[in-house]
Protein backbone atom coordinates (compact mmCIF):
# COMPACT_ATOMS: atom_id res chain seq x y z
CA UNK A 1 0.00 0.00 0.00
CA UNK A 2 2.84 2.36 0.87
CA UNK A 3 6.49 2.10 -0.03
CA UNK A 4 9.26 4.22 1.42
CA UNK A 5 12.67 4.33 -0.22
CA UNK A 6 15.51 5.97 1.66
CA UNK A 7 18.82 7.32 0.45
CA UNK A 8 21.64 9.56 1.59
CA UNK A 9 23.18 7.63 4.44
CA UNK A 10 26.87 7.07 4.73
CA UNK A 11 30.05 7.81 6.60
CA UNK A 12 30.91 11.34 7.60
CA UNK A 13 33.42 13.00 9.87
CA UNK A 14 32.25 14.70 13.04
CA UNK A 15 31.10 18.21 12.26
CA UNK A 16 30.07 17.28 8.76
CA UNK A 17 26.67 17.06 7.14
CA UNK A 18 24.42 14.55 5.46
CA UNK A 19 21.04 14.85 3.82
CA UNK A 20 18.71 11.90 3.97
CA UNK A 21 15.86 11.52 1.52
CA UNK A 22 12.78 9.34 1.69
CA UNK A 23 10.60 8.91 -1.36
CA UNK A 24 7.06 7.72 -0.68
CA UNK A 25 4.58 6.05 -2.97
CA UNK A 26 1.04 4.89 -2.38
CA UNK A 27 -2.06 6.42 -0.86
CA UNK A 28 -1.65 10.09 -0.09
CA UNK A 29 -3.58 9.80 3.16
CA UNK A 30 -1.04 7.27 4.39
CA UNK A 31 1.75 9.83 4.49
CA UNK A 32 -0.03 12.77 6.09
CA UNK A 33 2.60 12.77 8.80
CA UNK A 34 6.14 11.60 8.23
CA UNK A 35 9.05 11.15 10.53
CA UNK A 36 12.62 10.07 10.88
CA UNK A 37 13.58 7.59 13.56
CA UNK A 38 16.97 6.27 14.50
CA UNK A 39 18.17 3.24 16.36
CA UNK A 40 21.66 2.75 17.70
CA UNK A 41 22.96 -0.64 18.85
CA UNK A 42 21.41 -1.62 22.17
CA UNK A 43 19.00 1.30 22.16
CA UNK A 44 15.34 1.84 21.38
CA UNK A 45 14.11 3.24 18.12
CA UNK A 46 13.44 6.91 18.82
CA UNK A 47 11.87 9.69 16.82
CA UNK A 48 14.41 12.21 15.60
CA UNK A 49 12.10 14.54 13.71
CA UNK A 50 8.53 14.62 12.48
CA UNK A 51 6.57 16.78 10.10
CA UNK A 52 2.92 17.24 9.22
CA UNK A 53 1.64 17.15 5.67
CA UNK A 54 1.75 20.89 5.13
CA UNK A 55 5.05 21.26 6.93
CA UNK A 56 3.49 23.74 9.33
CA UNK A 57 4.29 21.63 12.39
CA UNK A 58 7.55 19.91 13.12
CA UNK A 59 9.06 18.00 15.99
CA UNK A 60 12.68 17.50 16.94
CA UNK A 61 14.27 15.41 19.61
CA UNK A 62 16.20 17.52 22.08
CA UNK A 63 19.42 15.84 21.03
CA UNK A 64 19.17 17.17 17.47
CA UNK A 65 17.51 20.55 17.89
CA UNK A 66 19.42 23.25 16.09
CA UNK A 67 21.38 20.72 14.05
CA UNK A 68 18.80 18.71 12.10
CA UNK A 69 16.05 20.03 9.85
CA UNK A 70 13.14 18.01 8.52
CA UNK A 71 11.32 19.14 5.41
CA UNK A 72 9.12 17.70 2.71
CA UNK A 73 8.25 18.27 -0.90
CA UNK A 74 4.81 16.85 -1.49
CA UNK A 75 5.03 17.37 -5.23
CA UNK A 76 7.89 14.88 -5.15
CA UNK A 77 6.39 12.75 -2.37
CA UNK A 78 9.66 13.11 -0.55
CA UNK A 79 10.72 13.95 2.98
CA UNK A 80 14.22 15.11 3.84
CA UNK A 81 16.38 15.19 6.90
CA UNK A 82 19.23 17.66 6.72
CA UNK A 83 21.79 16.75 9.36
CA UNK A 84 24.44 19.31 10.21
CA UNK A 85 27.15 19.44 12.84
CA UNK A 86 27.04 15.69 13.11
CA UNK A 87 28.38 14.03 16.23
CA UNK A 88 29.55 10.47 16.83
CA UNK A 89 26.47 9.91 18.99
CA UNK A 90 24.34 10.49 15.90
CA UNK A 91 25.60 7.19 14.56
CA UNK A 92 22.61 4.92 14.04
CA UNK A 93 20.35 3.32 11.51
CA UNK A 94 17.89 5.95 10.37
CA UNK A 95 14.38 4.98 9.35
CA UNK A 96 11.77 6.91 7.45
CA UNK A 97 8.19 6.34 8.57
CA UNK A 98 4.73 7.68 7.84
CA UNK A 99 1.27 7.59 9.34
CA UNK A 100 -2.23 8.32 8.12
CA UNK A 101 -2.96 10.99 10.68
CA UNK A 102 -2.52 14.73 10.51
CA UNK A 103 -1.18 15.00 14.06
CA UNK A 104 2.43 14.61 15.04
CA UNK A 105 3.32 11.51 17.01
CA UNK A 106 6.49 10.50 18.78
CA UNK A 107 5.96 6.78 19.31
CA UNK A 108 7.15 4.23 16.80
CA UNK A 109 3.92 2.27 17.18
CA UNK A 110 1.99 5.26 15.83
CA UNK A 111 3.66 4.94 12.44
CA UNK A 112 2.34 2.28 10.13
CA UNK A 113 4.83 2.28 7.29
CA UNK A 114 8.59 2.13 7.36
CA UNK A 115 11.55 2.34 5.08
CA UNK A 116 14.34 -0.19 5.10
CA UNK A 117 16.67 1.95 7.16
CA UNK A 118 19.91 3.60 6.16
CA UNK A 119 23.14 3.58 8.12
CA UNK A 120 24.64 6.86 9.25
CA UNK A 121 28.09 6.65 10.77
CA UNK A 122 29.86 9.67 12.21
CA UNK A 123 33.54 9.27 12.91
CA UNK A 124 35.38 11.21 15.58
Amino acid sequence: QVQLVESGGGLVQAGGSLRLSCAASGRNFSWLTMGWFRQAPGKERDLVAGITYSGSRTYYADSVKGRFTISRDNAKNTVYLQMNSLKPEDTAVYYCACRSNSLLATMAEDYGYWGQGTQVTVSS
Side-chain angles (χ1 to χ4, degrees), residues 12 74 82 95:
V12 66
N74 292 332
Q82 179 66 46
Y95 298 89

Side-chain angles (χ1 to χ4, degrees), residues 38-51:
R38 70 184 181 187
Q39 187 169 26
K43 296 186 177 181
E44 298 294 320
R45 185 177 299 184
D46 294 323
L47 181 67
V48 175
I51 188 169

Side-chain angles (χ1 to χ4, degrees), residues 38-106:
R38 70 184 181 187
Q39 187 169 26
K43 296 186 177 181
E44 298 294 320
R45 185 177 299 184
D46 294 323
L47 181 67
V48 175
I51 188 169
T52 56
Y53 184 79
S54 68
S56 62
R57 299 295 301 273
T58 58
Y59 167 88
Y60 296 97
D62 289 341
S63 59
V64 306
K65 286 182 179 178
R67 299 188 298 118
F68 290 11
T69 302
I70 188 171
S71 62
R72 66 191 298 168
D73 185 341
N74 292 332
K76 298 180 179 180
N77 296 334
T78 302
V79 63
Y80 306 95
L81 184 66
Q82 179 66 46
M83 304 184 293
N84 298 326
S85 301
L86 283 163
K87 305 174 181 179
E89 50 263 43
D90 295 318
T91 296
V93 177
Y94 284 70
Y95 298 89
C96 177
C98 65
R99 65 193 300 257
S100 56
N101 191 290
S102 61
L103 299 178
L104 286 171
T106 60

Side-chain angles (χ1 to χ4, degrees), residues 15 19 31-33 35 41-42 48 61 67 108-109:
R19 189 193 192 200
W31 65 70
L32 292 178
T33 300
V48 175
R67 299 188 298 118
E109 59 262 31

